[in-house]
Amino acid sequence: MMHFSERYKELVFAPNGEWDDRITGLRDGDSFQKKKRIVELLLRFDEPIKLKQSRYSKDTVESGAFRYALQCFDHDRGSPYFLGYGFMSFGLCEDYGNAIQILEGGFTPFLFDIIEYQHEILSGKEKREFTKWLNVLFLELDLPWVLAEGRLIKIDATQFEMDLKRKTEQLMLELKDADSTFQPAFDELNKAMEFLQKGDYHEAIINADKSYESVVKAILNLARGKPDQMLSEMSNKLNLPHSVNPSGFKTNVLSSLPYIRNNVSGHGAGSNEVVASKELANLAINLACSLITYLIEEYRKNGGTEDA
């Protein structure tokens, strides 16, 4: 798994190799207090674990998820950033107070790495609780981040957009856990948000539309199909008011995101390059979230059947 600072390498390191945090947003005056709260939560989830002393021995030593995350980070970097020169030893680390100080006052992307390492180490139930309480804390601290499937994803928008995206992420996460057919849609929406942050606006639009299309397929229980036909079928299954014509709803509402994708990023730009803006890519993701949330809520209201 590529952790945070690897996935966003171009936003974390300057061309000359120096550290350059251009993504987390935690560089203002109150960043220390916010990071302190995050570290306190990491310590709360220092789940006890047993580690083999070596691959050649059955003997184990006691450790914890937080402590082991620090050691894994140092080991993967090949240098003792958090735990000094004993980083190659995967046993119990008695003194990691210095590591806590570094996390609270140091380079924030590495703190985000530790969050992902620790999630990876935790057991199943602890993973779910860790994710829930970390996302609650992000919301309380007004930080535009969400932990989803062990990956930190930035929601770079206004509070209204943040709430919309968080709600959609949560709905899809719940559905994905109950029905694996929603996994592609969940992954594609996360990719769309990552591409938006990286500045690849064409790919953000493409993946936003892919996620929307995957939700439609999952609800209709289809492996494949032409998008226009699927949206027609979807529209005919919705519980629309009598004053709303299904065909008009499909054309003017359900097809809004595919229209953007087809005319900006969908099937090639021909001889003239089409430049997608950040604002248009963000609109595409917001449309995906709104449409997906609507379809999922209709789907769940009808008992999770394909007769949405």
Side-chain angles (χ1 to χ4, degrees), residues 2-8 23-24 109 112-113 116 145 152:
M2 291 182 65
H3 293 93
F4 183 86
S5 62
E6 295 175 296
R7 294 199 310 278
Y8 294 106
I23 183 171
T24 66
F112 283 15
D113 281 330
E116 295 185 348
W145 290 94
L152 283 164

Side-chain angles (χ1 to χ4, degrees), residues 244-257:
V244 178
N245 180 274
S247 178
F249 189 77
K250 173 250 176 180
T251 300
N252 295 292
V253 180
L254 297 184
S255 298
S256 55
L257 178 54

Side-chain angles (χ1 to χ4, degrees), residues 127-195:
K127 274 182 168 66
R128 292 189 291 274
E129 288 295 304
F130 180 71
T131 298
K132 178 179 78 173
W133 288 110
L134 183 68
N135 287 337
V136 167
L137 181 60
F138 281 150
L139 193 59
E140 181 184 333
L141 298 178
D142 195 26
L143 297 177
W145 290 94
V146 61
L147 183 67
E149 288 291 278
R151 295 197 303 179
L152 283 164
I153 299 166
K154 189 173 186 181
I155 304 174
D156 187 15
T158 63
Q159 185 64 48
F160 174 80
E161 290 175 321
M162 286 172 60
D163 290 343
L164 170 65
K165 289 167 182 170
R166 286 180 194 272
K167 179 180 180 181
T168 307
E169 285 272 357
Q170 186 59 40
L171 283 173
M172 293 178 71
L173 188 60
E174 292 171 4
L175 270 181
K176 176 192 70 65
D177 289 342
D179 185 347
S180 61
T181 57
F182 286 91
Q183 178 76 53
F186 181 83
D187 293 340
E188 287 154 355
L189 186 61
N190 285 339
K191 286 181 182 178
M193 293 181 186
E194 288 185 7
F195 279 121

Side-chain angles (χ1 to χ4, degrees), residues 22-249:
R22 287 170 286 158
I23 183 171
T24 66
L26 278 168
R27 294 187 293 181
D28 53 24
D30 64 348
S31 65
F32 175 81
Q33 291 301 323
K34 291 180 178 180
K35 287 192 282 188
K36 184 177 178 65
R37 294 280 306 279
I38 294 171
V39 173
E40 288 171 353
L41 188 139
L42 297 182
L43 289 167
R44 277 175 48 199
F45 282 88
D46 190 21
E47 182 182 18
I49 58 174
K50 289 185 177 181
L51 302 169
K52 290 179 64 176
Q53 287 186 330
S54 76
R55 68 176 66 185
Y56 306 109
S57 172
K58 293 182 179 179
D59 295 334
T60 61
V61 291
E62 300 287 332
S63 188
F66 172 69
R67 290 167 282 175
Y68 189 43
L70 298 173
Q71 289 174 289
C72 288
F73 176 90
D74 279 3
H75 180 268
D76 289 348
R77 278 177 57 86
S79 60
Y81 181 73
F82 285 117
L83 296 177
Y85 288 95
F87 75 97
M88 290 296 289
S89 172
F90 282 88
L92 177 65
C93 177
E94 294 288 355
D95 180 15
Y96 52 95
N98 185 57
I100 292 173
Q101 292 180 356
I102 293 173
L103 285 169
E104 293 174 344
F107 192 48
T108 306
F110 292 164
L111 167 60
F112 283 15
D113 281 330
I114 296 301
I115 290 171
E116 295 185 348
Y117 271 103
Q118 187 162 341
H119 178 276
E120 194 173 348
I121 293 163
L122 291 170
S123 60
K125 182 179 179 181
E126 289 291 285
K127 274 182 168 66
R128 292 189 291 274
E129 288 295 304
F130 180 71
T131 298
K132 178 179 78 173
W133 288 110
L134 183 68
N135 287 337
V136 167
L137 181 60
F138 281 150
L139 193 59
E140 181 184 333
L141 298 178
D142 195 26
L143 297 177
W145 290 94
V146 61
L147 183 67
E149 288 291 278
R151 295 197 303 179
L152 283 164
I153 299 166
K154 189 173 186 181
I155 304 174
D156 187 15
T158 63
Q159 185 64 48
F160 174 80
E161 290 175 321
M162 286 172 60
D163 290 343
L164 170 65
K165 289 167 182 170
R166 286 180 194 272
K167 179 180 180 181
T168 307
E169 285 272 357
Q170 186 59 40
L171 283 173
M172 293 178 71
L173 188 60
E174 292 171 4
L175 270 181
K176 176 192 70 65
D177 289 342
D179 185 347
S180 61
T181 57
F182 286 91
Q183 178 76 53
F186 181 83
D187 293 340
E188 287 154 355
L189 186 61
N190 285 339
K191 286 181 182 178
M193 293 181 186
E194 288 185 7
F195 279 121
L196 176 67
Q197 185 58 43
K198 292 178 179 180
D200 193 338
Y201 305 134
H202 283 85
E203 284 298 322
I205 293 171
I206 289 171
N207 280 276
D209 186 61
K210 281 183 178 179
S211 178
Y212 173 47
E213 187 176 307
S214 293
V215 167
V216 173
K217 287 178 182 176
I219 291 176
L220 295 177
N221 196 25
L222 296 173
R224 61 179 60 86
K226 294 183 178 180
D228 192 64
Q229 293 176 352
M230 289 192 299
L231 290 180
S232 293
E233 184 176 348
M234 187 80 260
S235 185
N236 288 327
K237 288 180 177 292
L238 295 171
N239 296 315
L240 298 171
H242 295 299
S243 58
V244 178
N245 180 274
S247 178
F249 189 77

